[in-house]
Amino acid sequence: MKPSNPTGRASLGLKIAVGLVLLFLHFPLLIIILYAFTTEEASFRFPPPGLTTRWIGELVNRADFWNALSLSLAVAAVATTLAIVLGTLLAGAIYRGKFFGRDALTLLVILPIALPGIVTGISLRSAISLTDMGFTFWTIVIGHTTFCIVTVYNNVIARLRRTARSQMEASMDLGASTFQTFRYIVLPNIATALLAGGMLAFALSFDEVIVTTFTAGQQQTLPIWILSQLTRPRDRPVTNVAALFVIAATFIPILIAYRLTQKTGE
Amino acid sequence: MAALSLTLTPPTPKPPSLPRRISTFFFRRPNLSLILTLLLPLLWLVVFYIGSLSSLLVNSFFRLDGFTGLIVRQFSLQTYRELASPSNVDIFVRTAVMAATVTVTCAILAFPVAYYMARYANYRIKGLLYLGVLLPLWSSYLVRVYTWKIILAQEGIITWFANLLGLHGLLEALLAVPGIGGPSLSFSFLGMFLVFVYIWLPYMILPINAALERVPKSVLEASADLGARPGYTLRKVILPLAFPGVVAGSIFTFSLTLGDYIIPSVIGNSSFFIGQAVFAQQGTAGNIPLAAAMTVVPIVIMFLYLMVARRLGAFEAL
């Protein structure tokens, strides 16, 4: 269905429906901006009685917020790095050829996001309990990497499929070694896809809460910190500011990833 | 002349460098290099993912000793018998009904957007619409759930808006409906349903759009040429061709609702959903076997769902 030669225009009813659905998708994001600045301390009263920037200062002075933030950043950085390496290797292998179990493998990669998060979560929790290894930084990282591999894999394999195989063949014919071909032909071609996949993996890990609650034990990542804040009505204004901060922090990598993939029309 | 003959002497070939020799070694053995590329990611997924899934299954056949509160690591079906208790069956039915309702609603809301994107939007508008769908999909899940706590609160924006339009009576009537109502929207099934639809809607829009993008324009023209009115073409041509996309989207909306426990615990009332029950069993109750067995239920449901979806051609629309 290409709009290149429009035989008709969208009816007004359809346009209104599209507008309403998009409004439904976006107005909560506006609400969170508004409530980060409300002067109301105890309830979610609308309209807010006044606006203030006071809560930003309060959040900045919260040590537990900074601890949670630094744990989240560390986990996301390590998980993203691991996912980039594993996802790229996997995409390369799947792209290169047919081998026994290839279809099963592609299914296995998407399984961690196709099955509900709680399945991955409780599975890892069972494994931790069976092996008596306890909860550490690495139990969080293992969970996050497992579901981040697929975002890198998806981006890289899509790019590889668009890259002409003949370029690599030409490079090898002209005497380049496998490493040189990777360095000068493959890497420049997949660089933006890698970056986009990495950005999305980072955003996914930074924000993940369902799997993390099962693998973190007593440790608090930023989403777990926010979740624990929800049960403290007195902290509502600070939670609102933290929520705005998280939205802003995940928007940036998503927008960059979107631009990177748009240029190549993926 | 002597100088010229000197330049013509062939240079003694340098021995190939180490990277070059390694490169040649692997180039001659494609199977070995394939295995080496696959080794790390395969090990990771098999050890950590398949390994944990198996330990989940193993755990579900253990049982919790009621007296000591310790997990007995011996094969037993006792945990699965506990699973069939009326209160647990209630939880499964409640969750499945919610997942089905959310899925149908998402499909109805998603179709106009996907249809407009595929059929009418020009290149620029389409890009903007994609961004408009992707941005909520990728931005913080937890914060978006929390925002709805603010919106649905008794003193929040929905109540304010209902009062503004003089619809306060309608809102109270809705909340008074037994089963779906509650003290306020933020503690009711109705509110929970809204949030589920909001959170998973983008997962439905994208596959339907992908299915519609693949409908050739000539098919629509043929339908019109043969005398079908637009409404008839929509029902008899476009909807059937979009259906695999709907099924593909429903895999996500259904599966994600089935396993979610954040939304029911932040928005809902005290009646449990599968995810909450699993979380409570492994945490405070320390009953990992029962939590594991409970998780097997959504896995089995999803497995059956995927088999049906495959029959309906949903995998081609993913």
Side-chain angles (χ1 to χ4, degrees):
Chain A
M1 292 210 286
K2 283 278 175 252
S4 53
N5 176 25
T7 46
R9 297 168 68 96
S11 68
L12 188 65
L14 180 62
K15 281 184 181 167
I16 292 174
V18 172
L20 285 178
V21 171
L22 280 168
L23 184 70
F24 176 58
L25 283 176
H26 287 271
F27 103 98
L29 302 176
L30 301 176
I31 292 292
I32 203 67
I33 299 176
L34 178 67
Y35 273 77
F37 300 103
T38 181
T39 47
E40 173 68 55
E41 291 184 29
S43 78
F44 295 129
R45 184 144 65 100
F46 187 90
L51 297 175
T52 172
T53 52
R54 184 184 138 204
W55 309 117
I56 299 175
E58 292 222 353
L59 180 70
V60 170
N61 289 328
R62 290 279 295 262
D64 52 345
F65 167 75
W66 291 108
N67 290 338
L69 177 63
S70 63
L71 179 62
S72 270
L73 288 175
V75 168
V78 177
T80 304
T81 312
L82 285 171
I84 285 179
V85 173
L86 297 172
T88 312
L89 283 173
L90 198 62
I94 300 261
Y95 171 72
R96 265 186 45 183
K98 293 200 179 331
F99 51 88
F100 177 73
R102 185 167 173 261
D103 290 341
L105 190 61
T106 48
L107 184 69
L108 180 62
V109 192
I110 61 160
L111 218 50
I113 55 161
L115 284 178
I118 196 150
V119 173
T120 314
I122 190 69
S123 296
L124 288 164
R125 175 79 179 78
S126 307
I128 293 168
S129 121
L130 272 186
T131 53
D132 296 315
M133 63 196 272
F135 303 101
T136 61
F137 174 80
W138 293 101
T139 52
I140 307 180
V141 168
I142 287 171
H144 284 201
T145 306
T146 306
F147 59 74
C148 282
I149 292 176
V150 63
T151 62
V152 177
Y153 164 81
N154 272 344
N155 272 279
V156 173
I157 194 118
R159 182 65 57 83
L160 282 174
R161 285 188 177 133
R162 275 158 205 265
T163 308
R165 215 178 265 261
S166 53
Q167 280 187 24
M168 296 171 218
E169 284 162 4
S171 161
M172 300 290 263
D173 287 349
L174 291 169
S177 71
T178 317
F179 302 110
Q180 284 167 326
T181 304
F182 182 79
R183 168 72 186 80
Y184 295 108
I185 306 292
V186 180
L187 205 55
N189 263 309
I190 65 167
T192 50
L194 266 183
L195 200 56
M199 291 277 175
L200 293 179
F202 193 92
L204 200 62
S205 162
F206 186 72
D207 175 48
E208 215 288 332
V209 62
I210 294 191
V211 175
T212 320
T213 46
F214 289 98
T215 56
Q218 299 300 315
Q219 310 165 81
Q220 282 199 327
T221 61
L222 193 55
I224 294 187
W225 180 81
I226 292 180
L227 198 60
S228 74
Q229 285 287 106
L230 297 190
T231 53
R232 291 189 204 128
R234 276 184 49 231
D235 275 353
R236 266 176 193 166
V238 174
T239 314
N240 292 342
V241 178
L244 179 60
F245 171 80
V246 171
I247 283 281
T250 48
F251 258 41
I252 296 163
I254 298 161
L255 286 173
I256 295 175
Y258 181 75
R259 273 201 75 87
L260 289 173
T261 49
Q262 272 297 294
K263 273 186 202 145
T264 49
E266 267 163 24
Chain B
M1 283 310 263
L4 187 64
S5 70
L6 250 178
T7 55
L8 284 176
T9 325
T12 44
K14 267 196 303 181
S17 62
L18 183 65
R20 165 73 61 178
R21 269 182 290 156
I22 297 174
S23 164
T24 313
F25 177 82
F26 283 118
F27 186 75
R28 293 199 178 127
R29 294 161 185 82
N31 284 333
L32 179 67
S33 50
L34 180 70
I35 288 170
L36 282 180
T37 345
L38 267 180
L39 192 66
L40 277 175
L42 197 62
L43 263 182
W44 184 283
L45 287 170
V46 168
V47 171
F48 292 126
Y49 194 61
I50 300 290
S52 337
L53 279 176
S54 330
S55 79
L56 174 86
L57 265 184
V58 170
N59 256 304
S60 72
F61 289 107
F62 291 164
R63 64 188 176 86
L64 189 78
D65 190 306
F67 294 106
T68 58
L70 292 175
I71 295 164
V72 182
R73 290 184 179 178
Q74 276 172 346
F75 179 82
S76 143
L77 284 174
Q78 190 198 316
T79 311
Y80 281 96
R81 276 194 290 274
E82 280 173 48
L83 211 57
S85 75
S87 65
N88 284 337
V89 171
D90 260 5
I91 293 175
F92 300 139
V93 171
R94 184 181 303 128
T95 313
V97 168
M98 177 62 92
T101 323
V102 167
T103 298
V104 172
T105 314
C106 278
I108 294 170
L109 290 181
F111 188 80
V113 181
Y115 183 61
Y116 183 84
M117 281 165 82
R119 180 112 194 248
Y120 298 109
N122 62 31
Y123 185 74
R124 255 196 71 231
I125 301 284
K126 194 184 263 189
L128 281 177
L129 285 173
Y130 270 120
L131 193 60
V133 175
L134 285 173
L135 213 51
L137 174 75
W138 280 100
S139 62
S140 176
Y141 156 85
L142 185 62
V143 169
R144 286 184 299 138
V145 175
Y146 174 62
T147 316
W148 278 92
K149 189 90 189 157
I150 297 177
I151 295 169
L152 297 174
Q154 191 140 35
E155 68 279 8
I157 185 164
I158 293 221
T159 312
W160 174 83
F161 196 64
N163 284 338
L164 196 73
L165 296 180
L167 293 173
H168 196 237
L170 180 71
L171 186 63
E172 279 182 356
L174 272 177
L175 285 174
V177 177
I180 63 164
S184 87
L185 273 175
S186 65
F187 293 100
S188 67
F189 270 39
L190 205 59
M192 202 193 300
F193 164 75
L194 264 177
V195 181
F196 271 129
V197 170
Y198 168 77
I199 298 282
W200 309 135
L201 185 57
Y203 287 92
M204 185 61 101
I205 296 178
L206 294 174
I208 298 185
N209 174 257
L212 287 174
E213 295 277 358
R214 279 197 288 260
V215 176
K217 196 170 170 47
S218 55
V219 172
L220 305 182
E221 283 167 355
S223 172
D225 289 348
L226 292 169
R229 297 225 181 104
Y232 193 77
T233 305
L234 182 70
R235 275 199 315 277
K236 292 287 173 181
V237 179
I238 297 173
L239 281 182
L241 288 171
F243 189 67
V246 176
V247 179
S250 78
I251 294 173
F252 291 105
T253 56
F254 194 81
S255 156
L256 292 168
T257 312
L258 215 52
D260 194 281
Y261 75 92
I262 301 287
I263 294 171
S265 54
V266 172
I267 304 291
N269 49 26
S270 53
S271 25
F272 264 17
F273 277 64
I274 294 181
Q276 281 170 294
V278 169
F279 188 70
Q281 289 300 342
Q282 65 86 33
T284 42
N287 194 345
I288 292 180
L290 187 56
M294 276 183 160
T295 316
V296 174
V297 176
I299 294 179
V300 169
I301 296 179
M302 276 323 291
F303 188 72
L304 296 175
Y305 201 100
L306 285 172
M307 293 221 302
V308 175
R310 197 185 175 135
R311 279 264 173 91
L312 295 171
F315 285 15
E316 283 77 47
L318 273 174

